[in-house]
Structure formats: structure tokens, C-alpha cells
Amino acid sequence: MFFSHNSISKIIMNRNIDTKKIIISNPLKLDCGKEINNFPIAYETYGELNSEKSNAILVFHALTGDQYVSGKNPITNKDGWWSYAVGENKPIDTNKFFVICANVIGGCMGSYGPSTINETTGKQIGTDFPIITINDMVNAQYELIKYLKIEKLFAVVGGSMGGMQVLQFVANFPDKAKLAIPIACTSSHSAQNIAFNELGRQAIMADSKWENGFYSNYKLNPDKGLAVARMAAHITYLSEKGLQEKFGRKLQDRDSLRYGFEADFQIESYLRYQGSVFVDRFDANSYLYITRAMDYFDLSKQYKGNLSNAFKKTKTKFFVISFTSDWLYPTSENREIVIALNSIGADVGFVEIESDKGHDSFLLDVSSFLKTLGDYINSTYEVINERRI
Amino acid sequence: MKEEFNIISNLIKENTRVLDVGCGNGDLMKFLQENKTKDIRGLEISKEKVQNCLSKGLTVIEGNAESDLKQFPKSSFDYVILSQTLQAFLNPELVINELLKVGKKVIVTIPNFGYWRVRLQLLFKGTMPVTENLPHEWYNTPNLHMCTIKDFYNFCSTKNIKIFKSIALKKSRISEINESNLNYKNLDSHLGIFLIES
């Protein structure tokens, strides 16, 4: 029953999302060598840009995120993905800051991606879409910042893949942000993370409805494969302790084992549910493209094997945050960023937040994280304004 | 506390680059930021204290001086401060060496175990000293390697560490320590403050 959703209608509807959108006419040279132009970037903003244009914060979303950081997400009718952190009177207070978030290219919420309709054929681009990288995503979003006529952002912030974009943004545009907050991320995708992403991609591509990525031509959707990909990934976002405490061996709506392959255990039912709701809002090809972009991310390699070189030209202040129970982007990988920054005398703060909620901690109601993040952003905003840097 | 901060602040030239190792809740960092230099960083082992510092907008890294000082390049700070923490390290000698690498100059302050009030407690009560400055019992003290002003003075000369300035503090009375008054200052001061260089 968990795989019975007909998500085609939703996916098709997604193509006509009523979202803020700009068309980037400047050609963008992608890392793969191809060039794109006249492509859409969907975005959302919260709060007001002040007259000095000094209060803008660009938030980058993670793998399955979108531009709806806060408020109600019009597609899912649920709270925005970072509602704990962003909004009125939240740590990143939209009464004070102008928050911008764009859907990454490769995504499926209105920005240029594999589900974008090719105007000449009238069909989705599918796997004819070029391979994109974190670098490409960031360069595309920079066009949005130019369009909004913001000379210098107060901050760039993001967790997980959003954190990778933060690092890439500062490397690409060293004088365009005063503050950078990469959270629960890495400067170089590890073998373990590539392995998990590959598992997800193989699940999608093994689904007979994938049709080499042209499923929409056949009005099909590889939702079983995508759901399995999501289920596997979801486990990596949690921690063993968190899982054990929340689910243990508790049974789902039954008193005893059924001696079959139904979801006897709550954890099974939970994962199936996570998979099923995910396919309603996410495009399988986008999942392939975005996980590939993450796998290709290796900032130190971009700078000849020396991560510090990525940040040599910048005066941006950094604040790196990791979580104790995050085994997907563990503290050690976040610390490498700190070490690279320290080795060139950059201005960097770092803390590992105690939490048993795993990698997902940055998205959840983890009070010490939210408090530290909010206090830091607010006091740094005051200090920087005082000093008029 | 205030006197110690003032003495440290007076040892530091304006607008220099400073690292406070074991910066606690960032009180000294704040003090120096207001009085001496904006370019100040902190290193602190306690998550809670790091969060307190960051909440104040201070640039602090969670880490351990014994393992995490290595990541800073040689002489990358004009001053590195170690305020009343040397005694808490497993390997104080290693920490001093790391500090001297990272900082052009190092300021170390030590609670003086040679202070007469401390000595009297051991002599007459026969128990490990508990004072205002050393408030812990022997079984819960974080202080693993207590030393005296004289110990640290001798340590510097044995290891060929240059002492630029050595100051003794008793209550709020400040005086200079030198070769000739060392024994007296070692008896009559609760805190020693040293400006050193390798």
C-alpha cells in the first residue's frame, strides 16, 4: 500500500509551480563542458531588504530541499524545510534579515532541471539534462544575487549539500559575503557518501519505470526505486541511538509478529512512509543529478589538493558547525574545513553540537544549535555594522 | 580577575593578533576586544563555553590545546594567552612548546602553589590546599600539574625560554619578579604572569 501513490499528477503539476522565477539569459558554462542559457531559477524571499542592502542572507538548500525555507510550502502544504531556523522571531529572524533561497539547478521545484519541459519537443528533458556540479549550482544562484542587485550578502548559510554550496560560494566569490556558515557538511564527498548515493541511484535506475530517464514520455514514474533510494538515505540521516530510542523493536499496529514481509516493525512502516511521501514531491531524475553533483564535490581537488587555497582570497568570517551523532558528515570532516581555514589565518569559529538526532539535527528542533546559530548571527551582524566593514 | 585582565591587557600592544587558549566564557576576549584589539580568537574545550562565546559573537573554536594548536601556522599570532590553565593539561611542557610555536609571544598566568596560604594549609592542616583561587578538593580538581612561580621561572631557564616580563599579583598588588626577589614573590603572591618567547 505504501507504493500505490500515483505521483505522476503531482510531478506534472510541479512543472507549473507558482513560484518566483527569473530567466537567466547569460550563458553559464558548466563543469561538464556544456553551456546553458535562458534557463529558469525559482526562488523565494522572506523579509525586507533594507535600504543599505546590508541584511541579505542567502540560504542554500540540501539534496531534497527547495526554495521554501520557511512559512508554508505550497507544494507539500507543510512547514518550510528550515522553519525552526528561519522566520519571524526565529534564529534567522525575517523581521530583521532578508532571506533568499533558490531551488538548485538540477532540482524539480521550478529551476532548470531534468523535469523542465523542452520547448521544442514539448517533453521533459529527462537524462538529456547535462551533468551539473555544486560549482554550477552556485554560479547559477549568483546570477540571482546579481538580479536582486545585492552587492554583498551579509551571510551565506546552509547545511549538508547547502554547506558545500556555502564553501563553493566563498571560493568562487571571495568578496560577496561577510559571513559564511557551513553546517554538517564536507569539503570533499567521502567514499561512504558516494556509496550511499550510488545505492540510491541504482534503486531508481533498476525500477523498470525509469525508462532510461524518459519516464515522463510514457506517463510513468519510477516511484518504487525513488522510494527505496529515499528510505536508504533516510537511515543515514538518523543515528543508531536515535533510531533505537524512537523505534526500538516496537511493532506497528499489531501485538505479535505476522511471519511475513509486511511492515511488522514501526521502523519499517516509518521508512515506507518516508519513501511514499517523498515520491509525491520529488523527481527521480533530479535525485540522480543532485546526488551526482554531491559525489563530484571535492573542493580541495579544485584547488590543487590544498583546501586552504580555496579561501586564500577571502576575508569572509566563517562559522563551522557539526553534530556529535552525524555519521554522514562527521565532525572530523567539518574540522578539516576549520583546519584549512586556520592554516591561512582566516577568521573561523567552530563548535560541535551535542545531539543524538544524527545528520538531520540541523533541520530539527535542536535548541542548543538554534540558539548558538541565532545568537551568533545576530551578534555578528551588530559587530559588523558597528565596524562598518 | 579584573587585575589579571588589566595586567594581560597592558602586556599586549594595540591592534595585534591574539589567541586566547582555554578562553572559557570569553570574558578576557571581550575585555581585550574592548580595550586592545579586535583581532582575537579563542580555543576552548568545553562545548557549553564555546557556545556561550559564539553567542556573544566571539570567534572561538572548540578544541583541545594539546592536539589542536598544531593547525595554526608558526608565529601566526602576535600573542597567545594561557590564563590559569597550564596546570590542567596532561602535558604542560608540550602545550608550552605548541604555544611558543603559534605565538610570537606567549602570556602564561599561573595560580601560585608556593603562596604562603597554600603552603600553610599543607603544613598545618596536612590536607591538600583549598583556597579562593584553587577551590577544588583533591579528588575533583581539574588541576593535574600544579606549580609555583619559582617552578615556572626555573622551567623557563632550563628550557631556554626567554622571560620578557614576570609579574606577581597579590590581591590587587602588582610587582615585578626578578632573580633576587624570586623566593619572596614565590611565597607572597597568589598569581604569576609571564610574558615569554622561545
Side-chain angles (χ1 to χ4, degrees), chain A residues 168-195:
Chain A
Q168 186 77 59
F169 184 93
V170 179
N172 291 10
F173 311 106
D175 59 347
K176 292 296 174 191
K178 293 173 187 167
L179 174 65
I181 309 186
I183 304 162
C185 73
T186 183
S187 58
S188 160
H189 226 223
S190 67
Q192 176 175 267
N193 287 7
I194 296 170

Side-chain angles (χ1 to χ4, degrees), chain A residues 317 319 324 335 338-339 342-343 345-354 368 371-372 375-376 379-380 387, chain B residues 17 30 33 38 41 47 50-64 68 71-73 76:
Chain A
K317 209 172 153 65
F319 177 26
T324 48
R335 246 184 209 287
V338 178
I339 290 169
N342 272 330
S343 78
D347 187 341
V348 55
F350 165 71
V351 71
E352 181 196 48
I353 301 279
E354 187 89 44
S368 56
K371 184 181 185 309
T372 307
D375 288 349
Y376 183 82
S379 47
T380 303
R387 275 200 259 164
Chain B
R17 229 171 114 74
K30 263 266 183 260
Q33 212 171 47
K38 299 278 176 234
R41 314 285 161 79
K47 279 186 203 310
V50 173
Q51 284 167 33
N52 287 341
C53 289
L54 289 163
S55 289
K56 296 174 192 164
L58 297 168
T59 299
V60 172
I61 289 164
E62 182 185 337
N64 178 344
D68 291 323
Q71 62 188 268
F72 297 99
S76 54

Side-chain angles (χ1 to χ4, degrees), chain A residues 74-301:
Chain A
I75 308 302
T76 60
N77 266 324
K78 288 183 179 161
D79 287 339
W81 59 268
W82 217 14
S83 292
Y84 286 118
V86 180
E88 288 183 8
N89 305 316
K90 297 288 172 65
I92 299 175
D93 188 352
T94 50
N95 290 318
K96 182 172 176 179
F97 295 110
F98 178 63
V99 174
I100 309 153
C101 185
N103 186 211
V104 296
I105 58 167
C108 53
M109 282 293 195
S111 285
Y112 190 48
S115 55
T116 302
I117 304 291
N118 178 333
E119 280 173 12
T120 38
T121 63
K123 289 175 178 167
Q124 290 189 12
I125 301 171
T127 39
D128 285 339
F129 191 77
I131 292 289
I132 41 126
T133 62
I134 300 291
N135 181 41
D136 299 331
M137 290 175 183
V138 164
N139 290 335
Q141 287 173 84
Y142 182 61
E143 294 293 328
L144 173 64
I145 299 308
K146 282 202 290 195
Y147 166 80
L148 294 171
K149 297 197 169 57
I150 294 167
E151 189 49 42
K152 192 160 190 167
L153 293 158
F154 167 61
V156 282
V157 186
S160 198
M161 187 183 82
M164 299 177 204
Q165 291 173 79
V166 168
L167 300 176
Q168 186 77 59
F169 184 93
V170 179
N172 291 10
F173 311 106
D175 59 347
K176 292 296 174 191
K178 293 173 187 167
L179 174 65
I181 309 186
I183 304 162
C185 73
T186 183
S187 58
S188 160
H189 226 223
S190 67
Q192 176 175 267
N193 287 7
I194 296 170
F196 281 121
N197 279 348
E198 172 62 0
L199 171 68
R201 286 189 295 267
Q202 286 300 330
I204 291 165
M205 295 189 285
D207 188 322
S208 61
K209 292 185 192 159
W210 181 59
E211 298 285 357
N212 291 314
F214 296 101
Y215 42 87
S216 80
N217 295 354
Y218 307 94
K219 302 229 176 318
L220 294 173
N221 201 38
D223 47 8
K224 285 188 185 176
L226 181 59
V228 171
R230 177 62 167 178
M231 288 165 76
H234 200 87
I235 301 166
T236 69
Y237 305 150
L238 308 173
S239 73
E240 187 190 9
K241 185 163 180 263
L243 275 173
Q244 195 60 30
E245 275 173 10
K246 190 168 174 187
F247 302 102
R249 294 183 54 80
K250 279 183 269 187
L251 300 180
Q252 179 69 26
D253 301 330
R254 60 199 64 187
D255 301 325
S256 58
L257 300 175
R258 292 277 168 86
Y259 295 94
F261 295 108
E262 281 175 43
D264 277 347
F265 297 100
Q266 277 185 11
I267 178 63
E268 294 173 303
S269 171
Y270 172 79
L271 284 178
R272 289 179 189 197
Y273 174 75
Q274 290 298 331
S276 74
V277 292
F278 183 62
V279 301
D280 282 349
R281 69 173 178 92
F282 212 82
D283 176 49
N285 282 334
S286 276
Y287 198 88
L288 301 181
Y289 278 94
I290 298 175
T291 54
R292 203 70 187 131
M294 294 165 83
D295 292 349
Y296 280 9
F297 186 63
D298 186 350
L299 193 57
S300 55
K301 190 165 174 245

